Amino acid sequence: MLPNHSVPAERRRSWAEPYRIKMVELLKMTTPAERRVALEAAGYNTFLLRSDDVYIDLLTDSGTSAMSDAQWAGMMRGDEAYAGSRNFYGLESAVQARYGYRYVVPTHQGRGAEHLISRILISPGDVVPGNMYFTTTRLHQELAGATFVDVIIDQAHDPESLYPFKGNIDLDKFRELIDRVGAKKIPYISVAATVNMAGGQPISMENIRQVSQLARQHGIRVILDATRAIENAWFIKQREAGFADRSIASILLEMCSYTDGCTMSGKKDLLVNIGGFLALNDWEVFEEARNLVVVYEGLHTYGGLSGRDMEAMAIGIEEALNEDHIRARIGQVEYLGQQLIQAGIPIVLPVGGHAIYLDARSFLPHVPQDEFPAQSLAAELYLEAGIRAMERGVISAGRNLQTGQHNYPKLELVRLTIPRRVYTQAHMDVTAESVINLYERREAIGGLKMIYEPKYLRFFQARFEPVAVGTSREKRGEYADPQEA
Ligand code: F0G
């Protein structure tokens, strides 16, 4: 049957891309033998693979997006003056208009902003609650002397829970923490939208509003991690009563209005390869940030970025808020998720905004958490098809700084992260087929032993070697007591 071209555009359900391809980047297809050599050289850590040896790179959606022709044209308008670059003022206006904060400090990427805000607001001995940790965010809080406390709702730790806003903060946990340590010890609450480590799960507008109300009653600031807040706004529009007819732009502004500032990695929502910012409403905090940025990043009108980077990010803000873009972006993630769900693959549900998370605990129940099932599954996926994914389990969770023990997170996941505007539907099909192949031969997949462990953010550089399959099997089901990581 011929396709029915008379279907009105507003009834079309497809997530088809609102762009066409002007330039391509050629990829190398590798053989299983070549991949075995590359994986061994990388110590079974996908972060240590060379990109040239990867076919479909789903390591991260960070800095891996394809920029538009408009962004590339903007690069040519870079004003590379040391001070007062016109691109800074363009970026500042775009952030003020779209995120609604008064003051903007550019930083080289998200963690630059996290470093500044942690140093400014945290005193040693403080406690910072948040809706699940993010690796760099928590580390900067800890390096500034704080202890991170996870106050996300319990459903976030359950990969099968279908709760629509698994990024929500449990108000009772937050209240209990205030009662226990006292508001004076809590300089701010860290609110992420969406929550990366929970599977890209959104937080609801109602929850942000309530968290903000409770925090403000106690004089506690709310700092938003706005890295994927536009994707979060899309979920609010889809899932929360009263938002279906609102624009993504107006939802974003309202979300930010309940907070005192944000840290931003422009490398995600904002479709650039590098860049970030710290945005604030409070003059005193801004003044201190403007002082510190000069020490750690660069002058307050470039913060570690070139003029052209700031221009591309300012244009990216507008493109990211385009509803056709965001529908296609999240639609593509959902498309891959649906293929895996239909094949019975255990993934974190509901499908989140930027990635599919394989539940390595259910995928490899015979591999104990001490043998890093998610790390092992990511390595096997590379061997299978040249697809690069990332561990988000016990290796990412690191060690408890006091006791030196592994943090054992409840979620032991492999993240298939989808870069924006980069891969096609056929790449998603190949990815689904490869994961399904792995699932069919999962019994033969064993665990790993860590043979090198760096001190900070160990997942980036740790090295592993395989443990014989039989060894793992004897320890079947042996998971340490999950702790809040
Ligand atoms: N916050 C969130 C929620 C993030 O996902 C990231 C980075 C950051 C902050 C830090 O930003 O990388 O620009 O310094 N996430 C990347 C990822 C690394 O792969 O998920 P950055």
Side-chain angles (χ1 to χ4, degrees):
M1 211 174 90
L2 288 173
N4 180 1
H5 292 296
S6 63
V7 177
E10 64 272 18
R11 274 183 42 213
R12 214 187 301 125
R13 304 286 293 275
S14 142
W15 55 274
E17 298 85 348
Y19 54 81
R20 58 188 169 190
I21 296 166
K22 201 191 274 281
M23 188 170 71
V24 296
E25 182 179 353
L26 300 183
L27 298 174
K28 186 169 94 180
M29 313 288 274
T30 49
T31 63
E34 287 168 337
R35 292 197 290 274
R36 168 74 60 195
V37 171
L39 189 69
E40 278 170 14
Y44 290 77
N45 185 347
T46 52
F47 277 102
L48 299 177
L49 287 167
R50 290 176 184 229
S51 158
D52 276 349
D53 295 327
V54 173
Y55 171 42
I56 301 177
D57 201 346
L58 306 183
L59 186 71
T60 176
D61 64 330
S62 181
T64 53
S65 298
M67 293 210 299
S68 67
D69 52 351
Q71 286 177 298
W72 279 107
M75 299 286 275
M76 297 305 291
R77 293 197 301 269
D79 168 5
E80 307 306 342
Y82 187 88
S85 160
R86 93 172 76 90
N87 313 110
F88 166 71
Y89 296 105
L91 174 65
E92 185 187 45
S93 311
V95 174
Q96 287 166 339
R98 297 311 202 168
Y99 289 84
Y101 300 109
R102 275 186 217 126
Y103 309 114
V104 182
V105 180
T107 57
H108 76 284
Q109 59 184 77
R111 70 198 70 178
E114 292 165 0
H115 175 213
L116 297 180
I117 198 70
S118 305
R119 259 181 185 260
I120 296 166
L121 295 182
I122 294 171
S123 309
D126 280 351
V127 173
V128 177
N131 48 349
M132 209 174 259
Y133 81 103
F134 183 72
T135 52
T136 58
T137 323
R138 182 180 66 184
L139 185 58
H140 278 299
Q141 291 160 358
E142 289 173 348
L143 291 174
T147 307
F148 174 83
V149 176
D150 187 4
V151 292
I152 203 165
I153 55 171
D154 288 341
Q155 288 95 321
H157 294 282
D158 173 5
E160 286 171 22
S161 160
L162 290 174
Y163 192 71
F165 290 103
K166 286 167 83 173
N168 278 358
I169 285 165
D170 186 325
L171 291 164
D172 290 334
K173 289 186 192 171
F174 182 25
R175 211 175 279 117
E176 186 275 327
L177 185 71
I178 299 173
D179 291 345
R180 184 155 56 84
V181 305
K184 286 208 164 48
K185 285 258 170 247
I186 308 178
Y188 63 96
I189 178 162
S190 218
V191 177
T194 57
V195 180
N196 192 349
M197 305 301 272
Q201 303 293 335
I203 174 168
S204 72
M205 189 74 87
E206 189 192 11
N207 191 249
I208 300 179
R209 200 187 301 123
Q210 289 170 339
V211 166
S212 170
Q213 209 172 32
L214 179 59
R216 283 175 183 175
Q217 275 166 14
H218 290 88
I220 296 169
R221 286 193 172 85
V222 180
I223 301 294
L224 178 69
D225 181 341
T227 297
R228 296 182 186 83
I230 296 174
E231 291 176 0
N232 197 107
W234 171 260
F235 286 113
I236 289 177
K237 184 175 170 121
Q238 300 302 308
R239 297 180 185 170
E240 192 163 348
F243 289 94
D245 296 327
R246 290 267 301 273
S247 68
I248 295 295
S250 84
I251 295 173
L252 178 69
L253 261 186
E254 184 178 338
M255 288 165 65
C256 295
S257 75
Y258 300 122
T259 71
D260 299 286
C262 80
T263 55
M264 181 71 192
S265 169
K267 302 170 72 173
K268 284 78 166 177
D269 267 358
L270 303 188
L271 301 160
V272 287
N273 304 122
I274 194 74
F277 55 81
L278 174 64
L280 297 158
N281 282 335
D282 188 326
W283 171 263
E284 283 77 39
V285 183
F286 166 64
E287 207 179 11
E288 187 59 17
R290 209 172 47 164
N291 265 311
L292 280 181
V293 77
V294 181
V295 182
Y296 293 105
E297 303 272 317
L299 196 72
H300 61 279
T301 56
Y302 75 84
L305 296 171
S306 57
R308 54 181 176 269
D309 296 326
M310 293 189 282
E311 185 67 16
M313 188 154 57
I315 297 169
I317 292 177
E318 295 308 315
E319 292 185 0
L321 285 167
N322 178 297
E323 311 232 348
D324 293 328
H325 158 74
I326 193 79
R327 178 182 302 109
R329 190 290 184 273
I330 294 187
Q332 187 180 40
V333 178
E334 180 70 30
Y335 173 82
L336 174 60
Q338 285 307 326
Q339 303 233 21
L340 296 175
I341 291 168
Q342 277 160 25
I345 308 293
I347 66 169
V348 173
L349 298 171
V351 171
H354 65 301
I356 300 298
Y357 290 72
L358 305 176
D359 179 1
R361 220 178 240 252
S362 308
F363 206 113
L364 302 177
H366 53 280
V367 179
Q369 200 169 18
D370 277 337
E371 291 180 9
F372 319 124
Q375 188 77 33
S376 175
L377 190 54
E380 284 292 328
L381 183 60
Y382 174 72
L383 278 183
E384 171 75 25
I387 296 170
R388 171 153 71 171
M390 184 195 289
E391 191 259 11
R392 294 274 84 153
V394 61
I395 297 294
S396 295
R399 288 183 188 272
N400 181 304
L401 287 189
Q402 269 85 47
T403 66
Q405 296 302 304
H406 289 307
N407 290 317
Y408 288 101
K410 289 182 191 148
L411 297 178
E412 181 68 29
L413 308 174
V414 173
R415 187 180 75 173
L416 304 170
T417 339
I418 315 300
R420 296 164 187 78
R421 311 192 293 205
V422 170
Y423 291 113
T424 64
Q425 184 160 337
H427 288 117
M428 296 301 108
D429 291 341
V430 170
T431 303
E433 286 158 16
S434 308
V435 173
I436 293 165
N437 282 348
L438 274 191
Y439 195 61
E440 282 165 2
R441 63 177 181 82
R442 62 189 180 280
E443 287 281 308
I445 300 173
L448 295 169
K449 183 166 78 183
M450 188 160 34
I451 54 171
Y452 167 68
E453 179 175 359
K455 190 165 163 206
Y456 296 119
L457 303 177
R458 62 185 182 177
F459 53 95
F460 285 129
Q461 287 145 353
R463 299 182 71 85
F464 304 84
E465 62 187 28
V467 173
V469 175
T471 334
S472 299
R473 202 153 284 155
E474 282 156 25
K475 295 206 225 164
R476 185 187 289 266
E478 255 183 47
Y479 260 68
D481 263 354
Q483 300 156 9
E484 302 307 331

